[in-house]
Amino acid sequence: MKKDLHPSNYRLVVFKDMSNDYSFITKSCIDSRESVKWEDGNEYPLIKLEISHTSHPFYTGKMKLVDTAGRIDKFRSRYNKK
């Protein structure tokens, strides 16, 4: 095995899904400037996620409603044949 191949700074990190405020803690070596106090009273680095397994359409079975009406109208007005 090669030496010094894997990072040595693994620690507990809190990941927070910003779309539904779900948080979970796991080991990671990702750098973070923010920290949060976890349920056990200790402070851990915080990584904010856009989507996780609790909000992803594949796992939830629900599609997110995206407001596309403005984009469609803009497209039609731009490329409308006169």
Side-chain angles (χ1 to χ4, degrees), residues 33-81:
R33 294 181 181 165
E34 298 180 59
S35 62
V36 66
K37 186 171 262 193
W38 190 244
E39 299 162 355
D40 62 1
N42 294 329
E43 215 159 293
Y44 297 103
L46 174 67
I47 303 297
K48 294 180 180 177
L49 304 172
E50 294 292 323
I51 195 163
S52 71
H53 69 282
T54 59
S55 61
H56 193 281
F58 179 80
Y59 298 107
T60 61
K62 300 176 185 174
M63 293 300 294
K64 281 190 171 183
L65 180 63
V66 178
D67 182 23
T68 59
R71 291 189 293 179
I72 293 170
D73 292 337
K74 188 175 181 181
F75 175 82
R76 286 184 179 156
S77 66
R78 184 182 300 163
Y79 296 106
N80 192 9
K81 291 183 180 180

Side-chain angles (χ1 to χ4, degrees), residues 13-17 22-26 38 49 52-53:
V13 176
V14 175
F15 289 88
K16 182 175 182 179
D17 186 345
Y22 174 76
S23 299
F24 60 95
I25 190 167
T26 187
W38 190 244
L49 304 172
S52 71
H53 69 282

